Amino acid sequence: MNKEVLIKIENLSKVYQGPPKVEVLKSISLNIYREEIVAITGESGSGKTTLLNLIAGIDSVTSGSIDIASNSIEKMSESELSKFRNSSLGLVFQFHNLLGEFSAIENVMIPSLILKYNKKYAKSKAESLLESVGLKDRMNHRIGELSGGEAQRVAIARALINEPYVVLADEPTGNLDKKNAENVRELLWDMTKKSNATLIIVTHSNSIADKADRKLKLEYGETLTEY
Protein backbone atom coordinates (compact mmCIF):
# COMPACT_ATOMS: atom_id res chain seq x y z
CA MET A 1 0.00 0.00 0.00
CA ASN A 2 1.17 3.46 -0.92
CA LYS A 3 1.37 5.75 2.16
CA GLU A 4 0.72 8.93 0.17
CA VAL A 5 -2.44 10.62 1.45
CA LEU A 6 -4.97 10.76 -1.38
CA ILE A 7 -8.10 11.82 0.52
CA LYS A 8 -7.95 14.18 3.49
CA ILE A 9 -11.15 14.76 5.46
CA GLU A 10 -11.10 17.35 8.24
CA ASN A 11 -13.82 18.21 10.78
CA LEU A 12 -16.53 17.05 8.39
CA SER A 13 -20.12 17.64 9.49
CA LYS A 14 -23.46 17.11 7.79
CA VAL A 15 -26.71 18.53 9.12
CA TYR A 16 -30.14 18.13 7.49
CA GLN A 17 -32.14 21.17 8.60
CA GLY A 18 -35.48 19.34 8.59
CA PRO A 19 -37.69 19.79 10.50
CA PRO A 20 -36.60 18.00 12.54
CA LYS A 21 -32.95 19.04 12.37
CA VAL A 22 -30.73 15.95 12.07
CA GLU A 23 -26.97 16.00 12.61
CA VAL A 24 -25.77 12.94 10.68
CA LEU A 25 -21.99 13.48 10.85
CA LYS A 26 -20.16 15.44 13.55
CA SER A 27 -16.56 16.61 13.04
CA ILE A 28 -15.23 13.50 11.27
CA SER A 29 -11.53 13.55 10.30
CA LEU A 30 -9.83 10.84 8.23
CA ASN A 31 -6.86 10.25 5.92
CA ILE A 32 -7.13 7.66 3.15
CA TYR A 33 -4.00 6.61 1.29
CA ARG A 34 -3.39 6.07 -2.39
CA GLU A 35 -4.14 2.49 -3.55
CA GLU A 36 -5.60 1.58 -0.14
CA ILE A 37 -8.71 -0.57 0.35
CA VAL A 38 -10.74 0.81 3.27
CA ALA A 39 -13.90 -0.80 4.65
CA ILE A 40 -16.33 1.36 6.63
CA THR A 41 -18.77 -0.49 8.86
CA GLY A 42 -21.36 0.59 11.44
CA GLU A 43 -24.99 0.25 12.41
CA SER A 44 -27.76 1.35 10.06
CA GLY A 45 -28.20 5.10 10.44
CA SER A 46 -24.63 5.68 11.64
CA GLY A 47 -23.87 7.92 8.64
CA LYS A 48 -21.84 5.56 6.42
CA THR A 49 -23.71 6.27 3.19
CA THR A 50 -23.81 9.99 3.96
CA LEU A 51 -20.02 9.98 4.36
CA LEU A 52 -19.61 8.22 1.01
CA ASN A 53 -22.02 10.63 -0.69
CA LEU A 54 -20.10 13.63 0.68
CA ILE A 55 -16.80 12.22 -0.63
CA ALA A 56 -18.48 11.69 -4.01
CA GLY A 57 -19.90 15.21 -4.04
CA ILE A 58 -23.42 13.78 -4.37
CA ASP A 59 -24.40 15.54 -1.15
CA SER A 60 -23.18 18.93 0.09
CA VAL A 61 -20.91 19.48 3.09
CA THR A 62 -22.34 21.48 6.02
CA SER A 63 -18.90 22.27 7.47
CA GLY A 64 -15.36 20.93 7.26
CA SER A 65 -13.39 19.92 4.18
CA ILE A 66 -12.80 17.02 1.79
CA ASP A 67 -9.64 17.12 -0.32
CA ILE A 68 -9.09 14.49 -3.02
CA ALA A 69 -5.70 14.75 -4.72
CA SER A 70 -5.61 18.51 -4.04
CA ASN A 71 -9.19 19.01 -5.23
CA SER A 72 -11.43 20.63 -2.60
CA ILE A 73 -14.79 18.92 -3.06
CA GLU A 74 -16.76 21.37 -0.90
CA LYS A 75 -15.53 24.37 -2.95
CA MET A 76 -16.53 23.05 -6.38
CA SER A 77 -19.52 24.26 -8.37
CA GLU A 78 -22.12 21.67 -9.45
CA SER A 79 -20.67 21.53 -12.99
CA GLU A 80 -17.10 21.18 -11.68
CA LEU A 81 -18.23 18.43 -9.31
CA SER A 82 -20.03 16.58 -12.08
CA LYS A 83 -16.95 16.65 -14.31
CA PHE A 84 -14.61 15.65 -11.46
CA ARG A 85 -16.89 12.83 -10.36
CA ASN A 86 -17.16 11.42 -13.86
CA SER A 87 -13.44 11.60 -14.64
CA SER A 88 -11.86 10.76 -11.28
CA LEU A 89 -14.37 8.76 -9.21
CA GLY A 90 -16.04 5.41 -9.84
CA LEU A 91 -19.32 4.71 -8.03
CA VAL A 92 -20.84 1.30 -7.26
CA PHE A 93 -24.19 1.18 -5.45
CA GLN A 94 -26.12 -1.57 -3.64
CA PHE A 95 -28.82 -1.40 -6.29
CA HIS A 96 -26.68 -1.23 -9.41
CA ASN A 97 -28.41 1.92 -10.80
CA LEU A 98 -28.03 0.68 -14.38
CA LEU A 99 -30.37 1.78 -17.17
CA GLY A 100 -32.73 -1.10 -17.95
CA GLU A 101 -33.51 -0.01 -21.51
CA PHE A 102 -29.84 -0.29 -22.49
CA SER A 103 -27.56 -3.28 -22.92
CA ALA A 104 -24.67 -4.08 -20.59
CA ILE A 105 -22.10 -2.61 -22.99
CA GLU A 106 -24.15 0.57 -23.54
CA ASN A 107 -24.39 1.08 -19.76
CA VAL A 108 -20.63 0.69 -19.36
CA MET A 109 -19.93 3.13 -22.22
CA ILE A 110 -22.09 5.97 -20.82
CA PRO A 111 -19.50 7.61 -18.48
CA SER A 112 -16.96 7.73 -21.34
CA LEU A 113 -19.46 9.21 -23.77
CA ILE A 114 -20.38 11.89 -21.19
CA LEU A 115 -16.71 12.91 -21.19
CA LYS A 116 -16.96 13.04 -25.00
CA TYR A 117 -14.54 10.20 -25.65
CA ASN A 118 -14.63 8.74 -29.15
CA LYS A 119 -17.48 6.20 -29.40
CA LYS A 120 -15.24 3.55 -30.97
CA TYR A 121 -12.74 3.94 -28.11
CA ALA A 122 -15.50 3.80 -25.48
CA LYS A 123 -16.95 0.62 -27.01
CA SER A 124 -13.54 -1.06 -27.20
CA LYS A 125 -12.80 -0.17 -23.56
CA ALA A 126 -16.24 -1.35 -22.43
CA GLU A 127 -15.80 -4.67 -24.27
CA SER A 128 -12.43 -5.21 -22.61
CA LEU A 129 -13.81 -4.43 -19.14
CA LEU A 130 -16.86 -6.67 -19.56
CA GLU A 131 -14.57 -9.47 -20.70
CA SER A 132 -12.43 -8.87 -17.59
CA VAL A 133 -15.47 -9.23 -15.32
CA GLY A 134 -16.53 -12.47 -17.02
CA LEU A 135 -19.38 -11.12 -19.15
CA LYS A 136 -17.96 -11.52 -22.65
CA ASP A 137 -21.03 -13.47 -23.75
CA ARG A 138 -23.55 -11.24 -22.00
CA MET A 139 -22.48 -7.76 -23.07
CA ASN A 140 -25.32 -7.26 -25.55
CA HIS A 141 -28.01 -8.39 -23.10
CA ARG A 142 -30.28 -5.83 -21.49
CA ILE A 143 -29.97 -5.37 -17.74
CA GLY A 144 -33.28 -7.12 -17.05
CA GLU A 145 -31.89 -10.26 -18.70
CA LEU A 146 -28.97 -10.44 -16.26
CA SER A 147 -28.83 -11.92 -12.76
CA GLY A 148 -28.20 -9.65 -9.75
CA GLY A 149 -24.58 -10.73 -9.62
CA GLU A 150 -24.09 -10.13 -13.34
CA ALA A 151 -25.68 -6.67 -13.11
CA GLN A 152 -23.32 -5.75 -10.27
CA ARG A 153 -20.36 -6.84 -12.42
CA VAL A 154 -21.62 -4.50 -15.15
CA ALA A 155 -21.80 -1.73 -12.52
CA ILE A 156 -18.16 -2.38 -11.56
CA ALA A 157 -17.08 -2.22 -15.21
CA ARG A 158 -19.01 1.04 -15.61
CA ALA A 159 -17.34 2.49 -12.51
CA LEU A 160 -13.88 1.71 -13.91
CA ILE A 161 -14.21 2.76 -17.55
CA ASN A 162 -12.78 6.27 -17.06
CA GLU A 163 -9.86 4.88 -15.02
CA PRO A 164 -10.80 6.66 -11.77
CA TYR A 165 -8.27 6.86 -8.98
CA VAL A 166 -10.99 6.45 -6.32
CA VAL A 167 -13.77 3.84 -6.34
CA LEU A 168 -16.62 4.34 -3.86
CA ALA A 169 -18.80 1.29 -3.23
CA ASP A 170 -21.93 1.50 -1.06
CA GLU A 171 -23.05 -1.97 0.11
CA PRO A 172 -22.26 -3.42 -3.35
CA THR A 173 -22.92 -6.98 -2.13
CA GLY A 174 -25.88 -6.19 0.15
CA ASN A 175 -28.44 -7.40 -2.37
CA LEU A 176 -26.65 -10.66 -3.26
CA ASP A 177 -26.50 -14.19 -1.85
CA LYS A 178 -23.31 -15.28 -0.08
CA LYS A 179 -21.62 -16.86 -3.12
CA ASN A 180 -22.35 -13.94 -5.47
CA ALA A 181 -21.37 -11.48 -2.73
CA GLU A 182 -17.91 -13.04 -2.44
CA ASN A 183 -17.54 -13.15 -6.24
CA VAL A 184 -18.34 -9.44 -6.48
CA ARG A 185 -16.02 -8.68 -3.55
CA GLU A 186 -13.13 -10.54 -5.21
CA LEU A 187 -13.82 -8.75 -8.48
CA LEU A 188 -13.84 -5.31 -6.84
CA TRP A 189 -10.54 -6.01 -5.06
CA ASP A 190 -8.93 -7.43 -8.21
CA MET A 191 -10.11 -4.71 -10.60
CA THR A 192 -9.23 -1.78 -8.33
CA LYS A 193 -5.77 -3.23 -7.64
CA LYS A 194 -5.15 -3.75 -11.36
CA SER A 195 -6.04 -0.12 -12.03
CA ASN A 196 -4.04 1.17 -9.01
CA ALA A 197 -7.20 2.77 -7.63
CA THR A 198 -8.16 3.46 -4.03
CA LEU A 199 -11.30 1.63 -2.87
CA ILE A 200 -13.63 2.79 -0.10
CA ILE A 201 -16.37 0.26 0.60
CA VAL A 202 -19.30 0.65 2.97
CA THR A 203 -20.46 -2.77 4.14
CA HIS A 204 -22.43 -4.57 6.83
CA SER A 205 -20.43 -7.74 6.13
CA ASN A 206 -17.63 -8.45 8.59
CA SER A 207 -16.17 -11.11 6.26
CA ILE A 208 -15.81 -8.49 3.50
CA ALA A 209 -14.46 -5.84 5.88
CA ASP A 210 -11.87 -8.33 7.19
CA LYS A 211 -10.30 -8.51 3.72
CA ALA A 212 -9.67 -4.75 3.47
CA ASP A 213 -6.32 -3.11 4.24
CA ARG A 214 -8.06 -1.13 6.98
CA LYS A 215 -11.40 -1.43 8.79
CA LEU A 216 -13.12 1.62 10.26
CA LYS A 217 -16.29 1.59 12.35
CA LEU A 218 -18.50 4.68 12.28
CA GLU A 219 -20.58 5.16 15.43
CA TYR A 220 -23.34 7.73 15.93
CA GLY A 221 -21.86 9.84 13.11
CA GLU A 222 -19.12 11.13 15.38
CA THR A 223 -16.41 8.52 15.95
CA LEU A 224 -14.45 6.58 13.33
CA THR A 225 -12.52 3.81 15.05
CA GLU A 226 -9.96 1.54 13.41
CA TYR A 227 -10.36 -2.04 14.53
Side-chain angles (χ1 to χ4, degrees):
M1 185 183 71
N2 191 322
K3 294 302 283 186
E4 176 192 346
V5 175
L6 179 67
I7 302 172
K8 189 172 187 65
I9 297 169
E10 291 188 309
N11 300 317
L12 183 67
S13 295
K14 178 62 184 177
V15 178
Y16 293 104
Q17 294 300 335
K21 181 177 173 180
V22 180
E23 195 172 10
V24 184
L25 295 174
K26 307 163 192 173
S27 295
I28 295 291
S29 294
L30 171 66
N31 284 343
I32 293 172
Y33 302 100
R34 194 175 289 278
E35 297 176 32
E36 183 180 27
I37 296 177
V38 176
I40 299 175
T41 65
E43 300 294 328
S44 292
S46 61
K48 304 183 302 297
T49 293
T50 299
L51 177 58
L52 218 60
N53 286 343
L54 291 173
I55 295 170
I58 293 171
D59 209 346
S60 59
V61 171
T62 301
S63 62
S65 62
I66 302 172
D67 186 282
I68 304 177
S70 300
N71 295 281
S72 297
I73 297 299
E74 77 285 354
K75 293 178 181 174
M76 290 184 185
S77 68
E78 196 52 53
S79 61
E80 288 169 338
L81 262 176
S82 182
K83 188 175 180 182
F84 178 76
R85 191 185 303 123
N86 206 30
S87 62
S88 305
L89 308 179
L91 308 178
V92 184
F93 304 93
Q94 178 176 352
F95 302 100
H96 49 70
N97 287 17
L98 299 167
L99 299 175
E101 64 270 31
F102 293 113
S103 66
I105 191 166
E106 288 168 336
N107 269 279
V108 176
M109 288 171 65
I110 287 169
S112 263
L113 297 177
I114 289 171
L115 287 185
K116 296 185 168 52
Y117 282 121
N118 176 283
K119 191 173 181 180
K120 188 176 177 182
Y121 167 82
K123 187 176 182 184
S124 171
K125 190 83 187 290
E127 285 174 348
S128 175
L129 279 165
L130 286 167
E131 191 169 341
S132 296
V133 301
L135 292 176
K136 182 180 180 181
D137 299 326
R138 306 284 279 163
M139 61 179 69
N140 291 310
H141 288 249
R142 290 194 177 192
I143 302 307
E145 299 170 320
L146 304 178
S147 69
E150 287 172 334
Q152 205 55 307
R153 291 189 203 184
V154 175
I156 291 169
R158 179 187 60 183
L160 293 171
I161 192 163
N162 288 338
E163 299 177 13
Y165 45 82
V166 179
V167 176
L168 303 169
D170 188 7
E171 294 283 2
T173 64
N175 216 26
L176 304 174
D177 60 56
K178 191 174 180 181
K179 183 181 177 184
N180 272 310
E182 178 54 20
N183 287 342
V184 165
R185 199 280 310 164
E186 281 185 0
L187 190 61
L188 258 177
W189 262 236
D190 183 51
M191 297 292 282
T192 51
K193 283 181 176 176
K194 277 181 182 172
S195 58
N196 299 316
T198 296
L199 172 64
I200 306 171
I201 180 170
V202 160
T203 182
H204 275 105
S205 168
N206 287 325
S207 63
I208 286 175
D210 285 341
K211 294 180 173 73
D213 297 324
R214 200 158 43 119
K215 298 184 294 181
L216 301 170
K217 187 172 185 179
L218 182 58
E219 296 182 276
Y220 312 112
E222 57 188 46
T223 56
L224 257 178
T225 310
E226 194 168 334
Y227 67 103

